[in-house]
Structures are given as structure tokens and as C-alpha cells.
Amino acid sequence: MNTAADDFASRLLAWYDRAGRHDLPWMHPRTPYRVWLSEIMLQQTQVQTVMPYFERFVAALPTLPALAAASQDDVLALWSGLGYYARARNLHAAAKLCVERHDGELPRDPDALTALPGIGRSTAGAILAQAWGDRFAILDGNVKRVLARFHGVAGWPGTPAVEKALWLLAESHLPHERLADYTQAQMDFGATLCTRHDPACVICPLQADCVALRDGRVAELPTAKPSKPIPERHALLLLAEDAGQRVLLQKRPPTGIWASLWSLPEAADHETARAWFASHLQGDYDHAEALAPIAHAFTHYHVQLQPLRWRGLGLSAAVRDNDDLRWVARDELVSLGIPAPVRKLLLAVIPARSS
DNA sequence: AAGCCGGGGGG
DNA sequence: CCCCCAGGCTT
């Protein structure tokens, strides 16, 4: 069995001092707000992807009260391109709750923390350990992989039984000191040494006691998620420009894919598109220019988006600009939350204004 | 227990 | 082309 401050933790900490990452943006200064924001951004997202978004976000909204006071559109604009936009909506809602319930600060209590939207057990542990040095375990993808190999735990970690076993193992290794460093050490270790493909076992500080290495099962642990067929979908994107080269954007519904983001009006087929066009725009639907189709992949389905473009259009008199439908100039795109493939399309199609 | 929710990087 | 990544929420 493992003692509380066992070899596992002390070896990991020694490795971290030597080879870990000590200069990530959220470490300097390592405030609760910055730790929290980084942990939310890092959910299912790699460090290199997160860094520029983190810098931009804290520059615009440097404190929790500033985040709470921001508009949802501002928050989504800062998140635009990162994906999993529920994280941004939950972050924003949680900030408001902290202002209401916790005097504008992130609570240090684990139950109060987990009660906030977007913060589960692992994220709460990461925040508590890194922001205050409190003794809580994490169980993210890195830790799951390291523990599954080190202890030879088979079975996909997504199943409750395997996850429960891994939580117990994670807690069994917790040291009594340096919890912030230990937490970072685990993540750095999984991200840079005990990697999914081709881990550096030959220089691993845990190699002497790793069950997977001993049994030659490193490549097959952790057990992969069972794969399922991914459905293919199609949709039309309606790209209407007015005489000033502004594009008509529509706010998406608050649930579902790309919730609450601004995007091009979307239709399942030409019949639906034609009807929407007729009731909102003045012009000839059949005058559309078909642009190159866009292939976009989500985790659980793939979609082919066919953009149709019209120029010099006007809105029907009965429609007008409203809260869910706006003519947007190219310069305004940066201030809105827009799905990545749509943003890319618009920037490619709408010429930058020559100054 | 399974599905939903993005986008990018790597083999 | 496949898989995975500092997961959490909903059903």
C-alpha cells in the first residue's frame, strides 16, 4: 500500500523541480481567479491552445467582479474559437453567483466550489490545491493515464467503476506538503513524459514500480474509449451581404450546438432556406453564389456546410435589425462570439476595408 | 450509463 | 483517418 506522502508523490515532485513547467501564464500571479479561469479553459483543451486565449481574457476582464459585470456577448467573444462554449456561459454565471453569495470571491470550500456551474470534482480539486495549497486530488486525463499505467488498471476510465478506482488511487498518493506543485507536477508529467503515444519510460522516475511497464502493457493502457460510428450531416449557410458589405448574422438559440453564438442563418435544405429568405430578405434566392463547402468535425458528428452568398441585399421592411438578427461589418466580427468555421469563412469572403 | 458539447494537434 | 486533450452537465 501507499503511505500518505509516498514515493510516488516525492518522486513526482523531484521530477517536477527538474523538468516541470514553472512559467505558465496563470502561475504569475497565481490568484484564485486566474487559476479558476485557466482550469475551465484547460478542460478538454491543450495548454498551447489555451495560452493566447487566457492572456486575452485576463487582459480584458482581470478580476472576478469584472467578469461578473461583463455582457454575455463580451464573454463569448473572448471565448470565440476555444470551443465548448457552455464553459464560457457557466464561467460567467458562476462569477455572478460569487458576487451574490461569496462577496465577489471564489469560495475556498469544496462544496461551495463544486456547487458553481462548470466546476466538478476534479476542477474543484485543482483550484483548491493550486490557489490555496489545500489537500485535494485531481483526476483529469493526464492523471487517469498515469495511474492506469502505474497501477495496471484496465477498462475505459469513462466508466464509473474504473473512475472510482482511479479516484481512490489518486487520493492515496496525495502528499501533505506542496499541493500546488504536486498538482502541477501530475499534469506536466502526463502531458510531457507519460504521454498517450510513445511515453519516455526510459527516463521515467516511476519506472521501477510501474505495472504497465513491467508487464509490457504501456501501449494498451489506459484502455481506449469504445468507438462508435459518427453520423454525417449537411446544412446550408445563408451569407447575405448588404450594399456596404456587411453580413447578416443571427444569434443562435441558447441551447444546442454553438449556443448563443452569432452565426450565419442556417437551413437544412433549399426549401427551408428559400422560405426563410423570402420572409426576411429582399432579392432573388436563385441568384445565390455557391461557395466552397466547409467540412467541420464535432466530437459526435461531422457536418458539411454549404455557404450560399448574395450581395447587395436589404432586409424586408417587416424584419429590421433586432436582438437576434444584425447586419455586421467586418470590423465588428472581433467583438462577437462566432463559431470558428464561420469566422474563418467570413474573414476570407469579406475584404478588409482599405484605409 | 450514455449522450451532448468544439476545436486543434498528433500519429 | 483516427484518437485524444487540465471535464461537466443533462437525460
Side-chain angles (χ1 to χ4, degrees), chain A residues 285-326:
Chain A
Y285 178 83
D286 294 309
H287 227 258
E289 172 191 2
L291 303 180
I294 300 166
H296 192 71
F298 297 104
T299 305
H300 51 300
Y301 68 92
H302 294 177
V303 63
Q304 186 163 12
L305 301 167
Q306 172 62 66
L308 301 176
R309 181 191 198 183
W310 299 266
R311 308 196 202 199
L313 291 186
L315 274 179
S316 297
V319 176
R320 311 283 186 138
D321 271 22
N322 59 55
D323 288 345
D324 295 328
L325 201 61
R326 289 175 44 187

Side-chain angles (χ1 to χ4, degrees), chain A residues 250-264 266 339:
Chain A
Q250 185 175 41
K251 188 155 193 153
R252 297 181 59 86
T255 58
I257 200 76
W258 294 332
S260 298
L261 269 61
W262 289 89
S263 186
L264 293 170
E266 187 180 320

Side-chain angles (χ1 to χ4, degrees), chain A residues 121 139 144 156-169:
Chain A
R121 181 176 174 182
L139 190 63
K144 286 175 180 173
W156 178 50
T159 63
V162 176
E163 186 167 340
K164 181 181 178 183
L166 293 174
W167 268 115
L168 288 173
L169 291 168

Side-chain angles (χ1 to χ4, degrees), chain A residues 62-288:
Chain A
T63 66
L64 191 156
L67 169 59
S71 73
Q72 179 176 265
D73 272 343
D74 285 344
V75 176
L76 287 175
L78 291 165
W79 210 271
S80 189
L82 249 192
Y84 282 131
Y85 299 93
R87 295 183 294 174
R89 289 182 278 114
N90 287 333
L91 181 82
H92 193 204
K96 291 179 177 178
L97 286 171
C98 287
V99 169
E100 290 176 20
R101 300 176 184 171
H102 307 298
D103 202 26
E105 294 184 357
L106 205 60
R108 186 169 172 173
D109 175 68
D111 291 327
L113 212 45
T114 312
L116 296 172
I119 301 180
R121 181 176 174 182
S122 185
T123 297
I127 294 170
L128 291 164
Q130 295 189 88
W132 291 287
D134 293 341
R135 191 164 178 266
F136 289 91
I138 62 168
L139 190 63
D140 59 15
N142 287 314
V143 178
K144 286 175 180 173
R145 181 170 56 256
V146 171
L147 293 177
R149 285 175 176 163
F150 185 75
H151 292 283
V153 177
W156 178 50
T159 63
V162 176
E163 186 167 340
K164 181 181 178 183
L166 293 174
W167 268 115
L168 288 173
L169 291 168
E171 295 193 309
S172 78
H173 290 301
L174 277 179
H176 288 276
E177 309 285 340
R178 299 187 64 189
L179 269 300
D181 286 346
Y182 176 68
T183 300
Q184 188 64 44
Q186 293 174 90
M187 301 193 277
D188 286 2
F189 184 75
T192 67
L193 193 154
C194 193
T195 51
R196 184 72 188 90
H197 299 284
D198 199 20
C201 300
V202 289
I203 60 167
C204 177
L206 303 175
Q207 58 175 263
D209 300 296
C210 178
V211 172
L213 183 61
R214 182 196 68 194
D215 296 347
R217 297 165 61 208
V218 170
E220 60 192 71
L221 292 177
T223 307
K225 177 182 180 174
S227 63
K228 292 186 176 178
I230 295 180
E232 184 80 27
R233 303 183 186 175
H234 299 264
L236 300 170
L237 291 180
L238 281 52
L239 203 175
E241 293 175 38
D242 69 3
Q245 291 185 325
R246 296 183 303 174
V247 295
L248 190 62
L249 296 188
Q250 185 175 41
K251 188 155 193 153
R252 297 181 59 86
T255 58
I257 200 76
W258 294 332
S260 298
L261 269 61
W262 289 89
S263 186
L264 293 170
E266 187 180 320
D269 51 52
H270 280 291
E271 184 183 347
T272 311
R274 186 185 297 278
W276 191 90
F277 187 99
S279 61
H280 291 82
L281 294 164
Q282 297 179 322
D284 182 2
Y285 178 83
D286 294 309
H287 227 258

Side-chain angles (χ1 to χ4, degrees), chain A residues 24-29 33-39 41 49-60 78 82:
Chain A
L24 296 172
W26 37 92
M27 297 176 172
H28 311 291
Y33 172 67
R34 291 164 61 93
V35 168
W36 171 41
L37 175 62
S38 73
E39 286 303 324
M41 285 188 165
T49 302
V50 162
M51 284 203 283
Y53 285 88
F54 178 86
E55 303 276 23
R56 189 177 64 165
F57 199 103
V58 291
L78 291 165
L82 249 192

